[in-house]
Amino acid sequence: MYLPIGVRLYKMADGQIPLRYKTISKPTNVLIMDKRDRGYCTVLYEGENWHVPTEDLYPTHFEKIGD
């Protein structure tokens, strides 16, 4: 999946409370590690798992929308 500039990635506590965040400074591709309810997915970014709002993820040109 693809993340555009300006997307925020979150580290979440057990109660889905953000502990810290990081803002993407350049467009990048990420690997989805887990799809979650509540509008977030877990992605691998710079060697760490982060939560990102599902609506901020875009398919790459190799992926079909809805897969």
Side-chain angles (χ1 to χ4, degrees):
M1 297 299 275
Y2 168 81
L3 294 174
I5 293 172
V7 170
R8 281 195 177 169
L9 304 175
Y10 299 92
K11 289 284 186 176
M12 301 286 206
D14 290 336
Q16 294 298 318
I17 300 168
L19 295 175
R20 64 180 205 190
Y21 70 90
K22 180 183 281 197
T23 303
I24 300 293
S25 60
K26 63 181 180 178
T28 190
N29 288 313
V30 293
L31 178 65
I32 293 180
M33 304 301 288
D34 186 20
K35 292 185 179 181
R36 297 195 179 262
D37 295 329
R38 302 183 190 168
Y40 286 90
C41 288
T42 304
V43 298
L44 183 64
Y45 177 75
E46 294 183 342
E48 294 184 77
N49 287 340
W50 292 86
H51 290 82
V52 62
T54 305
E55 68 266 7
D56 291 338
L57 288 166
Y58 294 90
T60 62
H61 66 279
F62 297 111
E63 298 170 306
K64 295 179 185 175
I65 295 176
D67 284 349

